[in-house]
């Protein structure tokens, strides 16, 4: 026998001896005597917990593994609070709770997700039945009829989804919290043809709404709880009678937190107000966004032309609930055009948790007076606050990195704007804009246009600064946004001056600043080489008559750079421009021989005339057609 084989046999013998020696550790002294009886066997237990649906632990016990627990008879789980009828005051819009019971609940059975696995710890949860007409121990008075609903069993038989409402005669429709022992967590159904339901009351157990109410002209009120996680897109679109979405305090607002009935997969539910969910609800005046909502979808409230107040999901921080100043939220995203055309919305508090605000999100909110952009937002996108004509103050937080074109266009009452030091990109290039019919009223034409500066038409703006520490932009103490490396004025305001050494004035830099009465620094500026398209569009419509000499180094003026909104006529006989009372005349030193070196074509069509120094009257033809005419004070040379 080989030596290695002998060693292996010895090791096996030693292991067997050790195993036998450890046998006592596998037994249990059942009768607590000193010696271990041979017939004593191992006894292992598991922990069984009984709890109510609100997560409250009622009892725990050690139960032998493999044995089903005997549910205690002395446990009387408290059913959830009854659902009481609500009273709606049509004048004040307030909701009060009456003494009339709509639904009551009674204990049905103990249920565990691992009902038949008796070899590990278990949590048993009380389940409840909903009282209906003819039920045992039914309270006095007629209760809501459960036969008006159809349902689908959900996960593990613990939850159910209401799939259809078959009743038609109730103005107030209460959704039950429990249905044959299962918790109602989702409500579906097609109410588009229903002509009776005016108020839909959703219990606090419901996490998701996917009801079809599009174009329903009778639904007036939606009552939900803070537990609601999602409302599917389009489903309340064009409900023109819907005027309020409520989360009333003290009415069906218990919060369920027990793991025993929490769905395994959160993606069953859409934790957002879906795209177009309430678009076109023209009677909607008040919205209370549930605390669980994480996103407001694209066009979610677009075209809600009477919407005045939006209570965003802001609540005490659970880590420090006693501090009233310490607030938090689950909301992270406000989608594109979410509140577009909400022209009566005068205030909205955006939670600090929001990371994204989509383009056009507040487009046309012409009553909005003040807004604060949270520090987690990195981009102010295209036309985000365009046509917020009453917006007096906007606060941009440090952390913002990019501002896209037309972001604040036609914010006509905005007095001051501070650019954070973290902003490294201001985009004024054209952008293709898609527009859905019907949700912007008179704004559709403007929205379909493309390109533009960030401050076009901000005619009241008189203070424009860039915070210290910005590596790309400065204000040069001239009330401008100035790109230092490119020596370019990106944007200006009514009180701006062109900084010394400027080479370029960007497209749209002063576009729409009507009433600009004085030259900000164009005349005989030796470093200025180009003025971008629409740079001074409409600026001089109401200004005083000016005569500005352009320096020979200025070799480019972009299309419509100085165009007026008014049309001025050129007299073909005298070369004079009619109605010159409030126009500005620009004088260029270039003649025919050098004109091809300069691109002024179309720079002033329809408004300001560029007057060339030309030695011969016959050269008029070279300037005619673009508002470019003979210099008036020297017509015969």
């Amino acid at each position: 026998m080989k030596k290695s084989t002998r060693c292996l046999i010895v090791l096996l013998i030693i292991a067997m001896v050790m195993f036998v020696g450890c046998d006592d550790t596998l037994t249990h002294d059942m009768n607590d005597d000193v010696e271990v009886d041979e017939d004593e066997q191992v006894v292992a237990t598991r922990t069984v917990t009984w709890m109510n649906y609100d997560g409250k632990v009622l009892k725990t016990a050690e139960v032998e593994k493999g044995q089903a627990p005997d549910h205690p008879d002395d446990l009387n789980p408290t059913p959830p609070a009854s659902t009481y009828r609500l009273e709606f005051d049509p004048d004040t819009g307030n909701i009060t709770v009456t003494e009339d019971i709509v639904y009551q609940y009674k204990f049905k059975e103990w249920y565990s997700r691992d009902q038949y696995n008796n070899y590990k710890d278990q949590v048993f949860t009380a389940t409840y039945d909903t009282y209906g007409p003819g039920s045992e121990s039914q309270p006095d008075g007629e209760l809501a009829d459960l036969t008006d609903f159809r349902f689908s069993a959900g996960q593990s038989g613990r939850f159910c989804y209401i799939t259809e409402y078959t009743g038609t005669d109730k103005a107030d429709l209460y959704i039950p919290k429990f249905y044959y022992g299962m918790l109602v967590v989702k409500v579906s159904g097609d109410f588009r043809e229903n002509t009776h339901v005016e108020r839909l009351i959703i219990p606090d157990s419901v996490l998701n709404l996917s009801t079809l109410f599009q174009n329903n002209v009778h639904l007036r009120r939606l009552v939900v709880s803070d537990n609601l996680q999602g409302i599917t897109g389009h489903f309340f679109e064009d409900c023109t009678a819907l005027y309020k979405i409520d989360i009333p305090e003290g009415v069906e607002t218990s919060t369920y937190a027990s793991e025993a009935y929490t769905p395994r997969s959160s993606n069953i539910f859409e934790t957002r107000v879906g795209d177009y969910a309430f678009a076109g609800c023209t009677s909607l005046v008040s919205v209370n966004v549930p605390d669980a909502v994480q996103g407001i979808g694209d066009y979610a409230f677009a075209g809600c032309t009477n919407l005045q107040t939006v209570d965003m999901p802001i609540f005490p921080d659970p880590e420090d609930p006693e501090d009233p100043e310490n607030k938090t939220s689950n909301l992270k995203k406000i989608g594109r055009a979410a509140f577009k055309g909400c022209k009566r919305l005068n205030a909205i508090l955006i939670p600090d948790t929001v990371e994204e605000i989509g383009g056009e999100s507040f487009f046309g909110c012409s009553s909005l007076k003040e807004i604060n952009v949270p520090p987690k937002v990195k981009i102010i996108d295209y036309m985000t606050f365009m046509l917020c004509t009453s917006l007096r103050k906007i606060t941009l937080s440090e952390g913002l990195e990019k501002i896209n074109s037309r972001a604040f266009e036609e914010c006509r009452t905005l007095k001051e704007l501070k650019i954070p030091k973290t902003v490294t990109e201001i985009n004024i290039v054209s952008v293709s804009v898609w527009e859905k019919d019907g949700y912007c009223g008179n704004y559709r034409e403007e929205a379909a246009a493309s390109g533009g500066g960030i401050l076009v038409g901000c005619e009241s703006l008189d203070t424009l600064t860039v915070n210290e520490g910005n590596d790309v932009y400065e204000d040069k103490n001239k009330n401008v946004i100035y790109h230092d490396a490119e020596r370019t004025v990106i944007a200006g305001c009514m009180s701006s001056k062109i900084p010394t050494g400027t080479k370029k004035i960007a497209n749209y830099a002063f576009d729409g600043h009507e009433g600009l009465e004085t030259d900000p620094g164009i005349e005989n500026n030796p470093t200025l080489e180009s003025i971008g398209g629409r740079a001074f569009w409409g600026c001089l419509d109401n200004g005083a008559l000016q005569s500005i000499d352009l320096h020979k180094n200025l070799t480019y003026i972009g299309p419509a750079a100085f165009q007026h909104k008014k049309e001025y006529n050129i007299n073909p006989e005298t070369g004079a421009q009619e109605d010159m009372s409030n126009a500005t005349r620009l004088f260029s030193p270039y003649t025919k021989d050098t004109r091809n070196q300069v691109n002024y074509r179309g720079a002033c069509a329809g408004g300001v005339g560029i007057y060339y120094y030309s030695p011969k009257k016959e050269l008029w033809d070279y300037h005619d057609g673009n508002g470019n005419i003979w210099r008036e004070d020297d017509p015969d040379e």
Side-chain angles (χ1 to χ4, degrees):
M1 182 180 294
K2 293 184 178 180
K3 183 178 181 180
S4 59
T5 304
R6 288 197 302 270
C7 290
L8 180 60
I9 292 174
V10 171
L11 289 173
L12 289 172
I13 293 172
I14 292 172
M16 291 175 64
V17 171
M18 292 179 66
F19 181 78
V20 172
C22 293
D23 184 61
D24 286 346
T25 64
L26 300 179
T27 63
H28 177 62
D29 191 4
M30 300 285 289
N31 52 18
D32 291 328
D33 56 11
V34 176
E35 297 181 1
V36 176
D37 300 331
E38 292 184 0
D39 60 346
E40 290 180 352
Q41 301 295 323
V42 176
V43 176
T45 61
R46 59 196 176 94
T47 300
V48 176
T49 303
W50 290 268
M51 66 169 54
N52 222 351
Y53 246 88
D54 58 3
K56 179 181 179 181
V57 175
L58 303 177
K59 186 173 182 177
T60 60
E62 295 297 311
V63 178
E64 185 176 338
K65 284 189 174 180
Q67 299 298 315
D70 292 326
H71 297 299
D73 295 330
D74 59 342
L75 289 188
N76 296 308
T78 303
S82 300
T83 297
Y84 292 91
R85 190 172 305 281
L86 305 182
E87 186 174 285
F88 301 88
D89 189 325
D91 296 325
T92 64
N94 294 332
I95 298 176
T96 55
V97 185
T98 71
E99 295 182 355
D100 299 329
I101 295 174
V102 179
Y103 290 119
Q104 279 190 329
Y105 313 99
K106 63 178 181 178
F107 171 66
K108 180 181 180 182
E109 62 182 353
W110 294 106
Y111 184 91
S112 173
R113 181 179 296 154
D114 300 307
Q115 182 87 34
Y116 303 105
N117 190 339
N118 293 322
Y119 290 89
K120 69 176 184 178
D121 295 347
Q122 280 182 269
V123 175
F124 283 86
T125 305
T127 65
Y128 299 91
D129 263 342
T130 305
Y131 282 139
S135 296
E136 182 182 355
S137 302
Q138 178 184 330
D140 294 336
E142 183 180 356
L143 299 178
D145 192 346
L146 294 179
T147 61
D148 282 349
F149 300 96
R150 294 180 182 174
F151 76 98
S152 172
Q155 180 189 30
S156 302
R158 295 295 317 286
F159 313 101
C160 72
Y161 307 151
I162 299 292
T163 60
E164 186 177 354
Y165 171 65
T166 57
T168 58
D169 58 347
K170 296 179 178 64
D172 295 334
L173 177 60
Y174 291 80
I175 301 298
K177 186 182 299 185
F178 293 93
Y179 197 74
Y180 298 111
M182 294 178 286
L183 188 69
V184 176
V185 294
K186 182 177 180 179
V187 178
S188 301
D190 191 343
F191 291 84
R192 289 176 294 183
E193 301 301 324
N194 185 281
T195 59
H196 295 277
V197 175
E198 296 180 10
R199 288 170 289 268
L200 182 65
I201 299 98
I202 307 296
D204 51 354
S205 60
V206 172
L207 303 181
N208 184 269
L209 271 182
S210 57
T211 45
L212 293 166
F213 267 100
Q214 291 130 305
N215 300 303
N216 186 306
V217 296
H218 295 281
L219 182 69
R220 302 181 63 244
R221 201 75 171 261
L222 181 63
V223 180
V224 298
S225 81
D226 267 329
N227 295 342
L228 188 65
Q229 296 182 6
I231 297 174
T232 306
H234 293 275
F235 282 7
F236 293 91
E237 187 174 3
D238 292 329
C239 288
T240 53
L242 181 65
Y243 78 96
K244 204 166 187 181
I245 302 170
D246 284 297
I247 303 179
E249 293 186 8
V251 182
E252 297 284 338
T253 55
S254 300
T255 300
Y256 290 123
S258 171
E259 182 181 355
Y261 53 80
T262 300
R264 296 176 185 173
S265 176
S266 62
N267 62 15
I268 295 175
F269 305 108
E270 186 179 15
T271 56
R272 63 197 294 263
V273 178
D275 299 347
Y276 298 94
F278 296 93
C281 293
T282 54
S283 295
L284 192 63
V285 297
S286 177
V287 171
N288 200 329
V289 181
D291 287 349
V293 169
Q294 297 180 18
I296 297 176
D298 297 349
Y299 293 86
F301 297 96
C304 295
T305 52
N306 281 295
L307 183 62
Q308 299 176 33
T309 59
V310 177
D311 291 332
M312 294 298 244
I314 301 174
F315 47 86
D317 192 332
E319 296 183 1
D320 191 8
E322 301 302 323
D323 185 357
E325 300 297 325
N326 195 3
K327 304 288 186 179
T328 189
S329 177
N330 290 311
L331 191 66
K332 295 182 179 180
K333 180 180 178 180
I334 298 175
R336 178 184 176 187
F339 297 96
K340 186 171 186 177
C342 296
K343 61 183 181 181
R344 297 191 66 187
L345 181 65
N346 55 42
I348 189 168
L349 179 59
I350 302 177
D352 285 344
T353 53
V354 169
E355 301 172 358
E356 182 179 346
I357 299 176
E360 307 174 74
S361 51
F362 295 96
F363 182 110
C365 293
S366 53
S367 296
L368 193 63
K369 295 178 176 61
E370 184 176 339
I371 201 159
N372 182 60
V373 178
K376 292 184 179 181
V377 174
K378 302 299 181 184
I379 300 175
I380 301 294
D381 218 334
Y382 302 103
M383 300 185 285
T384 299
F385 299 102
M386 182 175 173
L387 279 167
C388 291
T389 53
S390 298
L391 189 64
R392 295 193 297 261
K393 181 179 179 181
I394 182 167
T395 302
L396 306 180
S397 302
E398 295 295 342
L400 184 67
E401 298 175 358
K402 182 178 181 180
I403 302 174
N404 276 330
S405 69
R406 311 186 80 179
F408 310 106
E409 183 170 333
E410 297 294 339
C411 291
R412 297 170 191 161
T413 57
L414 186 65
K415 300 285 292 181
E416 180 181 2
L417 185 67
K418 293 183 178 181
I419 304 298
K421 67 181 180 181
T422 51
V423 171
T424 57
E425 183 178 355
I426 296 176
N427 186 3
I428 58 175
V429 299
S430 297
V431 56
S432 177
V433 177
W434 173 82
E435 181 56 66
K436 178 178 173 63
D437 292 337
Y439 296 130
C440 302
N442 296 329
Y443 304 130
R444 187 181 177 207
E445 181 178 352
E446 289 89 338
S450 60
I454 64 169
L455 298 172
V456 173
C458 296
E459 57 191 37
S460 298
L461 191 66
D462 56 22
T463 304
L464 187 55
T465 56
V466 178
N467 291 348
E468 291 186 9
N470 194 302
D471 295 332
V472 178
Y473 301 104
E474 299 182 39
D475 57 44
K476 295 289 187 179
N477 294 318
K478 300 291 185 180
N479 281 320
V480 295
I481 302 176
Y482 189 79
H483 194 293
D484 195 49
E486 297 181 3
R487 295 165 61 185
T488 299
V489 174
I490 299 297
C493 64
M494 300 294 285
S495 59
S496 298
K497 298 297 179 185
I498 306 300
T500 302
T502 297
K503 293 177 64 175
K504 301 176 182 178
I505 298 176
N507 297 342
Y508 317 104
F510 295 86
D511 189 349
H513 294 330
E514 295 184 13
L516 186 67
E517 296 186 356
T518 59
D519 170 23
I522 301 171
E523 184 166 39
N524 280 322
N525 189 322
T527 62
L528 192 59
E529 298 177 358
S530 70
I531 298 175
R534 290 186 61 132
F536 292 93
W537 172 285
C539 291
L540 307 171
D541 270 345
N542 301 312
L545 176 65
Q546 300 181 67
S547 297
I548 300 175
D549 287 332
L550 305 178
H551 196 278
K552 65 179 181 180
N553 291 338
L554 182 63
T555 58
Y556 176 82
I557 300 179
F562 293 92
Q563 183 162 331
H564 277 197
K565 293 182 179 178
K566 294 181 179 179
E567 290 290 334
Y568 292 90
N569 297 320
I570 299 173
N571 189 315
E573 295 182 2
T574 65
Q577 192 170 19
E578 295 179 352
D579 189 13
M580 293 294 294
S581 60
N582 60 352
T584 294
R585 287 172 278 185
L586 306 176
F587 295 97
S588 168
Y590 286 96
T591 65
K592 172 182 180 293
D593 295 332
T594 58
R595 186 179 179 222
N596 290 334
Q597 299 175 15
V598 188
N599 182 0
Y600 288 170
R601 181 171 297 277
C604 307
V608 178
I610 290 185
Y611 297 73
Y612 291 93
Y613 293 94
S614 299
K616 297 181 180 180
K617 191 173 182 178
E618 288 77 6
L619 298 178
W620 285 10
D621 292 341
Y622 288 95
H623 309 312
D624 195 14
N626 292 310
N628 305 325
I629 64 174
W630 186 265
R631 184 171 179 177
E632 286 183 314
D633 60 355
D634 197 13
D636 297 322
E637 289 187 8

